[in-house]
Amino acid sequence: TQLLEQSPQFLSIQEGENLTVYCNSSSVFSSLQWYRQEPGEGPVLLVTVVTGGEVKKLKRLTFQFGDARKDSSLHITAAQPGDTGLYLCAGARNTDKLIFGTGTRLQVFP
Amino acid sequence: KAGVTQTPRYLIKTRGQQVTLSCSPISGHRSVSWYQQTPGQGLQFLFEYFSETQRNKGNFPGRFSGRQFSNSRSEMNVSTLELGDSALYLCASSAFPGQGPNIQYFGAGTRLSVL
């Protein structure tokens, strides 16, 4: 059973467009992380959110944790080819193991 | 500070064989987790070791096993390989498991192909 569902599964856009990736669950998480994975590499942490309703910005990336701590979103403004990769959300419930989402594969064309 | 190092990067085996993968965590990190990544199932948690003890375990058969040494280096073993074991195996280390968000630092992975 996949506890964290991401949508969309695939996204192919032109440079300069905006996009939003969603990470949804029926479970409550104590924290949620977003990772980006490029081909041939392991996932790299982008951000961690721990408070319901929390919003964090990382340059053109905006992350939000849902008020009930069951969902999260990642918004990219003016996407660039360098944003191409697999985006993964991952939730933790207290000290338990991380549960990764299904992933969103983003392709940004110049 | 060196990152997480996994060896080998690529491996080709045949059904029925066994394989051992190695992971060296970031210096000072005492927790090592292993994940299997496939196109169909995504990133699935295998197990986590901390101070040479298995701290958490995922839902994988007993053919998958691991261990951690006193220097925090970890190995993962898969016996009686099946075609479905073909995957990217990722190792991740963390500094303080159980204390705050479990931030994982990943290696580049070992790509295993079972023929």
Side-chain angles (χ1 to χ4, degrees):
Chain A
T1 303
Q2 188 59 257
L3 295 181
L4 276 170
E5 295 288 340
Q6 287 184 236
S7 61
Q9 189 176 358
F10 299 98
L11 199 50
S12 183
I13 61 172
Q14 292 293 130
E15 182 176 3
E17 292 185 32
N18 301 332
L19 66 115
T20 302
V21 177
Y22 299 94
C23 174
N24 295 300
S25 173
S26 57
S27 301
V28 175
F29 291 97
S30 58
S31 67
L32 199 133
Q33 300 165 22
W34 284 92
Y35 291 80
R36 179 170 67 209
Q37 184 178 16
E38 298 183 22
E41 300 295 330
V44 175
L45 179 69
L46 295 174
V47 78
T48 301
V49 285
V50 297
T51 305
E54 181 177 3
V55 177
K56 279 192 175 179
K57 291 192 175 184
L58 184 66
K59 296 183 181 178
R60 294 175 293 98
L61 278 60
T62 301
F63 304 86
Q64 183 162 9
F65 201 10
D67 291 340
R69 290 185 289 131
K70 292 183 180 181
D71 54 82
S72 180
S73 64
L74 157 60
H75 182 80
I76 300 179
T77 303
Q80 298 177 2
D83 296 327
T84 293
L86 177 67
Y87 288 81
L88 295 159
C89 63
R93 292 180 287 191
N94 298 318
T95 61
D96 203 358
K97 59 185 181 293
L98 268 185
I99 298 169
F100 279 83
T102 48
T104 295
R105 193 165 294 281
L106 171 66
Q107 176 77 54
V108 182
F109 291 98
Chain B
K1 195 183 237 186
V4 177
T5 304
Q6 290 188 246
T7 56
R9 288 294 308 273
Y10 303 92
L11 209 47
I12 299 175
K13 292 285 187 179
T14 56
R15 280 181 298 173
Q17 287 187 309
Q18 74 164 13
V19 66
T20 299
L21 312 181
S22 179
C23 172
S24 294
I26 290 173
S27 178
H29 284 191
R30 294 169 60 194
S31 170
V32 173
S33 297
W34 288 89
Y35 297 84
Q36 182 195 66
Q37 187 174 34
T38 59
Q41 297 298 317
L43 207 61
Q44 302 281 314
F45 173 79
L46 281 155
F47 28 65
E48 178 190 8
Y49 285 87
F50 176 72
S51 293
E52 302 177 66
T53 302
Q54 190 178 84
R55 182 170 173 268
N56 270 312
K57 189 177 186 304
N59 297 322
F60 278 80
R63 300 185 297 107
F64 291 83
S65 63
R67 60 177 176 169
Q68 187 179 33
F69 302 95
S70 57
N71 62 357
S72 294
R73 191 177 70 85
S74 177
E75 286 183 349
M76 188 193 103
N77 184 275
V78 188
S79 62
T80 319
L81 284 166
E82 300 176 0
L83 295 179
D85 297 333
S86 294
L88 180 67
Y89 289 87
L90 291 162
C91 165
S93 73
S94 61
F96 304 108
Q99 299 178 28
N102 188 4
I103 296 173
Q104 307 271 286
Y105 296 86
F106 285 86
T110 294
R111 183 161 298 280
L112 171 65
S113 297
V114 182
L115 306 178

